[in-house]
Amino acid sequence: MLRLFCLGIAMATAVDAAEAACETVSHLGQSYAVCRFDPAKDNIRVVHQGRDGEAYGAFQPLVEDLRREQEYLVFAMNGGMYEADLSSVGLLVTDGVERKAVARRNGWGNFYLKPNGIFFIEDNTAGLMETEAYLAGSHKPDFATQSGPMLVIDGALHAAFLPQSDSLQIRNGVGVDRQGNVLLAISLEKVRFHDFATLFRDTLGCPNALFLDGSISSLYAPALNRYDNAHPMGPIIAVVRKVPGAP
């Protein structure tokens, strides 16, 4: 009984910490769910395939895999665009292994609305930069995902975004602020690219931010009572913790 009691206290502490990391933010009269994590303290990963070698495709298979490792999911969000077979369109690195190379080709759709960009975790530090700038460096990330377009590039909005655009969608994205924190946001109503980008730049203080996807945007955030399960997905950005008391 004592062990169960202590486990309950530890889990409650973990939930409190998760709640502190997530909040609803208002920007230009629209609402967003925003979660902030410190890569030096929080276990931020990009995941894609399960123990069976198949793409997770949803959050629940990931939850079940983690349970076998005595870990649990604190937060997850679809983490980049994918092909019909759920493979990533661009760069994908998991556990230090490059699963798919950087995509530099031209094409149709948001991913190819260049510049696109790469979010990565390297030595417990988060980075986010335009694809060509990333390639100009000598990065060896532990985790990485490529998506597009960039929302904010060194403090400037993507040149294609129009303040009065009539293209409204649920949108999600990731940014890195000046303190190195990772901010993941999803709109709670349909928004235009321009407004979503200014959320990251002006309200969240991110000099660089990356669009992850639109209509299929999905969120797993127990702290916000969100357990989305409506759409398949490819890469997933996840925050994971050990079950209290686990070795």
Side-chain angles (χ1 to χ4, degrees), residues 8-112:
I9 293 175
M11 288 296 288
T13 301
V15 170
D16 289 344
E19 287 177 346
C22 295
E23 60 181 334
T24 300
V25 172
S26 179
H27 173 72
L28 299 179
Q30 297 163 314
S31 297
Y32 301 83
V34 178
C35 293
R36 181 190 310 263
F37 298 100
D38 179 351
K41 299 176 182 178
D42 297 308
N43 188 352
I44 304 172
R45 306 176 185 176
V46 177
V47 299
H48 182 246
Q49 291 184 338
R51 297 160 67 97
D52 59 3
E54 299 294 323
Y56 284 118
F59 298 131
Q60 190 56 36
L62 172 58
V63 169
E64 292 168 3
D65 258 11
L66 291 172
R67 186 179 297 124
R68 296 185 182 96
E69 301 296 329
Q70 294 187 290
E71 296 175 321
Y72 69 99
L73 193 58
V74 173
F75 169 93
M77 178 180 281
N78 57 295
M81 295 179 189
Y82 55 89
E83 308 285 4
D85 64 356
L86 303 185
S87 63
S88 63
V89 174
L91 177 68
L92 178 65
V93 178
T94 62
D95 297 315
V97 178
E98 185 178 288
R99 314 291 179 177
K100 192 166 184 180
V102 172
R104 302 178 75 178
R105 62 191 181 277
N106 295 318
W108 178 88
N110 287 328
F111 183 92
Y112 300 103

Side-chain angles (χ1 to χ4, degrees), residues 10 12 23 44 54 103 119 138 143 146 150 175 182-183 185 188 191-192 206 214 219 221 223 227 231:
E23 60 181 334
I44 304 172
E54 299 294 323
F119 167 71
S138 54
F143 302 95
Q146 183 182 8
M150 287 287 287
V182 175
L183 291 103
L188 301 182
V191 299
R192 56 179 61 90
C206 296
L219 177 64
Y227 305 89
H231 305 285

